[in-house]
Amino acid sequence: MREKKVLCHGGIWDRGRLVREMTMAVKDGYIETIEEGFCPELLEDADEVVDLEGAVLFPGWIDSHLHIPGSLLFQLYGADLQKGSSTDDYIRAIRECGAEDGWIRGFGWNAPVLEKEGYDRLAAYLEQECRDTPVLLFSDDYHSCMCSPCALKRIAGAGIRVEPDRYGIVKEKDIFQLTARLEELSFPEEQIETAIMRYQEELLKLGITAVQTLMFLGGNGDREWKVLRRLDMEGKLKLKVNLALTVQPYEDLSRTDSRFARLKEYETERIRVHTVKIYMDGVLENGTAFLKEPYEGSQRRGACVWEQGRLRDFCRRMDREGRQIHIHAIGDGAVGAAVDGLVYAMERNGTAGRNRHVIAHLQMAAREDMELMGRYGIIGAIQPFWFPQEQWGYGLDAVCLGDRVKDEYPAWSLLQAGVRLTGSSDSPVTPQPDPVTGIRLAAERFCEKERVPEEEMAKAFTENGAYQLFREQEIGRIKAGYRADFAGYEGIPVGKEKEKKSRLCFVMADGEAVRGHALSVRSAV
């Protein structure tokens, strides 16, 4: 027998259109029908009636680029450095962290803090006070890792070759080797499960019901996905999750097919696999973002992680096999290389727009590359949380880019070039990934010419996100036939009808309340 639930005395917001009063029937987690106004006849055969008490339903928000389970494994079982604002704070967190399995794993140090206060002090502390303890401290962007001398000895003993600088810091290529090959870096399964469940609660609390997750922070590339699938089989997973296989250019690319097939084994109704993820460059903060012109006051431009011929071949093969390619590209040089590889593949395969390839971050991008993205249907996954809100907010970016800093994060320019934008946080780089906050920050950013209207950014966090996840026929809209995934608000949080006071009062996933509450009654209302 199918369960019928009727929601009434509330409104809906969909594609910028607001309906203040509607009645909705939901069966088995899907929207069956929506009628404007109060429709008592829909209540006649309802198994349950939900009085929304004036709340307005938005589609469940979609974060199109983040990392499950955020920094929670490090918060719960390691050294949490994200809250620190000084070297002393970092040292205190390390000192207070237990090393139950012999290792201390930390996450969240910030390059500008250490530039100001000195890498030397932290490196000296690790050498002197952690002489017999292996310590690995990941930066808040996960692109640098400071290793204690003891950790470097363990790494060498495992036959892994890395190239640390004088502070014991290794960067992208070496980090990815560590996480893939050094089993001790991965947290145990029971800790991974706890962190995933806690992270799910944090996302649901913000109204996020679907995500594209990239590299898992704290896993080994296999056990985390096994845990995630088990949670879904046990009915504990409420999020819709798209997984991605991370591929490095130094790997044996002939193994990509078997690795991707292995990841496909974790698919369920809620867990989908369409995507391979690659890194084109690093980040500005550590000088590894790849720029077309040198860094300010320097001859360095950073470097492209992939050799262009190898990138083209890889993109052509993945595109031909129907896989979505999701590319990290920060600098305009990296974006140009990524666009070249994707366009090369789609031109030869005749697949323009078919596989919904994605370039994420796009901190710098040349106009000609943005226009090619629009022409070939390449999605731009942007993080509005990073858009400077005041002139002083450019910080280290201004040091790295000089006058070019005014052109960073070209969100409106991407839209004008015809690029479909999706909204995301890159959590845990963004500690509080509230989509409503991201929407506001995009509309109110300091650089007026690149502001994005709230309605457009809301679309990026809903139907455009669903499109990126190949789920546009089931989520991202409020219409008949779609999943009943909603974020319910008292007051309108975004758009032309935005109200000064609004709050998220409940969240529903597949028609079931998963956060907050809604008054449920059986009698006719």
Side-chain angles (χ1 to χ4, degrees):
M1 179 179 178
R2 303 179 70 200
E3 180 188 74
K4 180 179 178 180
K5 180 180 296 186
V6 174
L7 285 63
C8 58
H9 298 316
I12 57 172
W13 186 100
D14 182 67
R15 281 190 169 175
R17 179 172 180 263
L18 174 65
V19 176
R20 288 283 185 178
E21 176 76 22
M22 62 84 208
T23 308
M24 178 191 301
V26 173
K27 277 192 176 181
D28 290 347
Y30 286 82
I31 300 170
E32 185 179 56
T33 187
I34 305 172
E35 300 289 344
E36 291 196 25
F38 178 56
C39 187
E41 51 267 32
L42 285 183
L43 278 61
E44 294 175 0
D45 59 345
D47 298 295
E48 184 179 31
V49 177
V50 178
D51 187 340
L52 297 175
E53 300 179 331
V56 175
L57 304 180
F58 281 66
W61 301 115
I62 300 167
D63 193 311
S64 301
H65 182 109
L66 53 65
H67 302 270
I68 288 177
S71 60
L72 273 165
L73 279 165
F74 299 93
Q75 291 179 32
L76 297 171
Y77 308 110
D80 180 14
L81 310 181
Q82 277 190 298
K83 297 177 181 177
S85 57
S86 69
T87 306
D88 287 334
D89 290 339
Y90 297 158
I91 291 173
R92 188 177 305 111
I94 297 164
R95 185 179 292 127
E96 293 173 355
C97 174
E100 296 179 7
D101 61 355
W103 285 75
I104 291 178
R105 310 171 187 87
F107 172 83
W109 58 265
N110 179 262
V113 169
L114 292 183
E115 288 282 352
K116 179 175 63 177
E117 304 228 358
Y119 287 96
D120 292 288
R121 283 191 58 214
L122 186 53
Y125 173 80
L126 295 180
E127 181 176 4
Q128 296 164 15
E129 303 299 326
C130 302
R131 189 173 294 106
D132 300 319
T133 304
V135 182
L136 296 162
L137 305 175
F138 294 93
S139 60
D140 56 3
D141 56 27
Y142 215 67
H143 283 261
S144 298
C145 180
M146 182 178 282
C147 308
S148 68
C150 182
L152 289 172
K153 289 180 182 177
R154 295 279 189 95
I155 291 166
I160 303 171
R161 184 178 179 182
V162 299
E163 298 177 2
D165 66 11
R166 64 192 182 93
Y167 303 116
I169 295 175
V170 299
K171 297 184 179 178
E172 287 89 1
K173 176 174 67 70
D174 291 338
I175 290 174
F176 300 138
Q177 286 194 73
L178 292 180
T179 54
R181 296 176 58 190
L182 192 60
E183 189 172 335
E184 294 93 323
L185 273 183
S186 177
F187 290 84
E189 283 189 21
E190 61 272 17
Q191 294 180 352
I192 288 173
E193 178 172 335
T194 299
I196 289 175
M197 293 301 294
R198 284 275 296 272
Y199 190 61
Q200 175 174 255
E201 283 299 303
E202 289 188 5
L203 296 179
L204 292 173
K205 185 169 61 177
L206 299 171
I208 297 169
T209 57
V211 301
Q212 170 72 71
T213 184
L214 290 310
M215 179 183 289
F216 188 97
L217 303 191
N220 69 349
D222 185 59
R223 66 178 60 161
E224 62 267 26
W225 309 134
K226 181 169 67 175
V227 171
L228 195 70
R229 188 180 193 281
R230 184 173 70 238
L231 290 172
D232 193 22
M233 294 297 96
E234 294 173 354
K236 297 177 182 177
L237 184 65
K238 307 303 179 184
L239 297 169
K240 282 77 181 174
V241 180
N242 277 40
L243 306 182
L245 173 69
T246 300
V247 180
Q248 302 299 338
Y250 53 79
E251 296 178 16
D252 179 356
L253 299 184
S254 66
R255 294 183 56 243
T256 302
D257 290 343
S258 60
R259 291 178 62 215
F260 193 82
R262 172 67 173 154
L263 191 61
K264 291 284 282 186
E265 293 176 5
Y266 297 115
E267 279 197 322
T268 65
E269 184 182 4
R270 287 183 176 80
I271 301 170
R272 303 277 179 82
V273 181
H274 295 285
T275 308
V276 292
K277 162 74 180 294
I278 64 175
Y279 288 84
M280 199 57 51
D281 66 347
V283 292
L284 278 176
E285 294 91 322
N286 68 14
T288 57
F290 178 39
L291 304 180
K292 289 180 181 283
E293 299 296 331
Y295 284 79
E296 187 73 4
S298 169
Q299 297 302 310
R300 296 179 301 103
R301 297 194 300 129
C304 190
V305 174
W306 286 72
E307 187 275 323
Q308 202 63 23
R310 188 169 174 82
L311 173 68
R312 284 181 164 192
D313 290 344
F314 177 79
C315 289
R316 186 177 184 182
R317 178 176 175 178
M318 293 298 102
D319 178 73
R320 186 173 60 242
E321 293 174 1
R323 295 171 189 164
Q324 180 186 58
I325 305 168
H326 190 115
I327 303 179
H328 164 112
I330 292 285
D332 51 2
V335 172
V339 170
D340 175 84
L342 294 174
V343 168
Y344 175 88
M346 289 185 283
E347 278 283 341
R348 280 147 186 81
N349 294 336
T351 55
R354 181 184 303 171
N355 294 317
R356 308 181 188 185
H357 303 311
V358 182
I359 299 178
H361 310 316
L362 297 150
Q363 190 164 346
M364 302 290 292
R367 181 163 300 278
E368 59 268 25
D369 292 322
M370 291 188 277
E371 290 174 354
L372 283 170
M373 288 179 66
R375 193 180 311 158
Y376 284 86
I378 301 170
I379 296 168
I382 62 173
Q383 295 73 45
F385 306 89
W386 304 351
F387 298 171
Q389 300 300 300
E390 303 287 347
Q391 187 168 8
W392 57 262
Y394 288 102
L396 189 59
D397 295 354
V399 176
C400 294
L401 298 173
D403 290 341
R404 287 171 291 173
V405 76
K406 67 181 184 299
D407 297 320
E408 70 175 356
Y409 301 116
W412 180 250
S413 295
L414 284 163
L415 272 175
Q416 292 296 96
V419 177
R420 187 192 299 261
L421 296 183
T422 58
S424 55
S425 64
D426 202 9
S427 170
V429 178
T430 301
Q432 293 294 322
D434 177 19
V436 171
T437 298
I439 291 166
R440 176 179 59 80
L441 293 175
E444 299 176 2
R445 62 184 294 182
F446 179 75
C447 180
E448 292 187 31
K449 69 183 178 69
E450 293 296 349
R451 288 176 178 171
V452 177
E454 290 193 358
E455 289 82 359
E456 280 291 344
M457 206 65 227
K459 182 179 177 182
F461 276 104
T462 52
E463 60 180 296
N464 285 2
Y467 179 85
Q468 181 184 310
L469 271 60
F470 293 86
R471 295 177 184 262
E472 73 274 16
Q473 297 301 318
E474 59 171 319
I475 61 174
R477 298 282 314 278
I478 298 180
K479 61 182 293 188
Y482 279 57
R483 289 181 182 269
D485 286 5
F486 311 124
Y489 287 86
E490 291 179 1
I492 308 301
V494 300
K496 294 187 291 290
E497 299 89 357
K498 182 170 67 174
E499 299 173 57
K500 287 186 177 180
K501 290 186 178 181
S502 68
R503 74 178 186 94
L504 183 67
C505 51
F506 65 89
V507 179
M508 302 184 81
D510 297 315
E512 299 296 329
V514 291
R515 288 290 307 183
H517 69 281
L519 179 63
S520 178
V521 296
R522 177 61 189 91
S523 58
V525 183

